Structure formats: C-alpha cells, structure tokens
Amino acid sequence: MKNSATLIFATILFSTTINAQLKSVKYSEGNQTLNGLFAKSAKKSSQNPGILMLPAWLGIDNASKGIAEDLSKLGYHVFIADIYGEGNYPKNTSEAGKQAGFYKTNYQAYQKRIEAALQELIKSGANADNIVIIGYCFGGTGVLEAARGHLNVKGVASFHGGLGKEASRPAEPITTKVLICHGADDPFVSKEEIASFQQEMRDTKADWQMIYYANSVHSFTNPEAGNDNSKGAAYNAVAAKRSFEHLQVFLNEVLKK
C-alpha cells in the first residue's frame, strides 16, 4: 500500500511537471543557492504579465505546481519561489515550522528572498511593472511582507495565510492592492490576529479586500490536505474553486494583459 501511494505521488509529480512545462531555475540570494520553477505564459502578450508564487511551509509542492500550470494557461508568466534554499529543505512539518518561523520573525530576510525570486521572474520574461505576488499558507504571510516591504508589484493575494506582524513594527503606507482569501473556520488565525490585520489595512490606507469561505479551514486550496476539517487543515473543493475565480477577477483588475 505504501509503495502504491509512493508511485501515485511520483506519477502526479511527474505529470504535473511535464504538463506545466515547468523549467527549473537555479538562482541565489546572498550566499544561498535557490531552486525555483518557471512556467512560461501559453499566450503571447506585449504586456507580459507576471505572477510570483510563494509556496506553503513545506516548500514547492504539487499544489503550487498545479496552480502555476493553470495560471500559465491563462496568459501569465509564473515563477515559484524557493525561500529556504539548498541544504535547508524541511523533511517534515516540524522542520517546516522552524524554517517558516525563522522567516516570519526575521521578516527582512523573508523580504530579501522574495525580492530575489521577483528578479528571476523578470529575467524570465515578465514585465517588471506588471506583476502580482500570490502565496499559500506560509507564502500567504510572505505576500503581506512583500506589501509591507514596498516591493514593486501591482497587487498581492494571500490564501489561508498568516496575517499578523509584531505590534512594535510601525504601520507604513501600503500602496499595492491586497486580496485575502480566508477560510471562515481556520483555527490557526485568531480573531485578534484578523482584527489587528484589518486595523493595519485601515491605518496604512491600503486598497484591500478579505473574502471568507464557509466550512473552510487552513489549506483549503490543497487537494493533498485531506478532507477532515477537525484537523484544522483540509481541502475544500468549493472554496478552492471560488478563491481561484476571485484571484482571476483580482488579476484582471490590477494587471495589464
């Protein structure tokens, strides 16, 4: 049974990579070697819109590859960032928690890793002035750090991501547009964190929107998250579909095609 599951996983991984025509891209930030993936737009456009994707805490996974494939078919150049780098990839959720926790605390280091990936997306063909950053879970936290760090992007979209920041950090103006797609029953984001985030958006005069999805917990866009909401993280096909449609509306609003 274990061998069968492994074979199925490997088949999904292989087919997704081939179908998406994802290209491995080796790059660096400081002394750290990083390995991202690039999906070229299936449609030609003089505007060359780009999407930088920040994956969840385990790193580049099947879910992020599948979404990259879908977005490239819609006419976007997509780059999936590698935040951790060679020698630092987590082997389990415990290691992932430690790695993600480091970047959440050391947000400036997180911003630098995001900026490095952003530059690779531009090198791969995206228009530097026509880019959106999207992120899932840990990556959803990252897109907000991109907004707070004033990276040159038209918008950021967070899916079941953490929303908080240290209270001691000043709330500076946020000029990029912000979309939050949130599971209404997500146990990992407290009411206090949501209230603090929304107040931050008001204080920074941000153009923001937050959409809640019923019966949804953490990781609602990931088919590999299971379907047991009681565990706090589970896939919800309806919420995944709706949030992807909301993303498309957002992209059509903020990017030129």
Side-chain angles (χ1 to χ4, degrees):
M1 186 70 176
K2 182 177 180 182
N3 290 338
S4 297
T6 302
L7 178 60
I8 291 172
F9 178 83
T11 301
I12 292 173
L13 181 63
F14 178 77
S15 62
T16 302
T17 302
I18 295 299
N19 291 339
Q21 296 182 337
L22 291 169
K23 175 186 176 183
S24 297
V25 179
K26 187 177 290 290
Y27 63 112
S28 63
E29 189 274 308
N31 295 322
Q32 179 63 60
T33 299
L34 304 161
N35 297 285
L37 291 174
F38 174 70
K40 185 177 181 179
S41 170
K43 302 178 181 179
K44 290 186 177 181
S45 167
S46 61
Q47 302 297 334
N48 288 320
I51 297 176
L52 175 61
M53 183 186 300
L54 308 182
W57 67 342
L58 285 171
I60 298 174
D61 54 15
N62 285 339
S64 57
K65 291 176 184 178
I67 293 168
E69 176 183 22
D70 291 339
L71 290 171
S72 66
K73 290 178 180 178
L74 292 175
Y76 302 97
H77 293 304
V78 186
F79 189 86
I80 310 177
D82 174 12
I83 300 301
Y84 304 136
E86 290 184 3
N88 301 306
Y89 300 127
K91 300 180 182 65
N92 50 52
T93 56
S94 177
E95 291 185 7
K98 292 178 181 178
Q99 288 279 22
F102 170 82
Y103 286 101
K104 288 178 181 179
T105 301
N106 298 276
Y107 65 90
Q108 291 175 324
Y110 201 0
Q111 291 170 348
K112 288 181 180 179
R113 285 290 161 88
I114 298 169
E115 176 64 34
L118 180 62
Q119 293 307 312
E120 290 304 315
L121 172 59
I122 295 168
K123 291 178 184 177
S124 297
N127 182 339
D129 297 315
N130 199 28
I131 292 173
V132 159
I133 304 180
I134 67 175
Y136 299 81
C137 299
F138 168 53
T141 301
V143 305
L144 293 179
E145 290 303 342
R148 292 168 181 143
H150 308 294
L151 272 64
N152 180 34
V153 293
K154 295 299 183 182
V156 300
S158 172
F159 297 81
H160 41 82
L163 306 175
K165 69 175 182 63
E166 289 294 329
S168 60
R169 290 174 60 185
E172 300 179 0
I174 290 178
T175 56
T176 191
K177 298 180 186 297
V178 178
L179 169 65
I180 306 296
C181 296
H182 185 70
D185 301 325
D186 190 331
F188 300 120
V189 182
S190 68
K191 294 180 180 178
E192 291 77 16
E193 184 174 332
I194 291 172
S196 178
F197 164 75
Q198 293 184 355
Q199 189 58 52
E200 177 191 1
M201 293 297 99
R202 296 183 181 96
D203 293 342
T204 58
K205 310 298 182 184
D207 180 347
W208 67 285
Q209 52 188 306
M210 186 168 182
I211 303 171
Y212 292 80
Y213 301 96
N215 306 313
S216 299
V217 290
H218 203 64
S219 300
F220 64 81
T221 64
N222 189 348
E224 296 179 356
N227 57 11
D228 185 355
N229 278 17
S230 68
K231 294 183 178 180
Y235 178 60
N236 183 305
V238 173
K241 179 176 182 293
R242 288 175 176 172
S243 64
F244 190 72
E245 290 172 347
H246 287 138
L247 172 62
Q248 290 179 71
V249 171
F250 184 69
L251 294 174
N252 288 334
E253 175 188 334
V254 303
L255 293 181
K256 297 178 181 178
K257 293 186 73 177

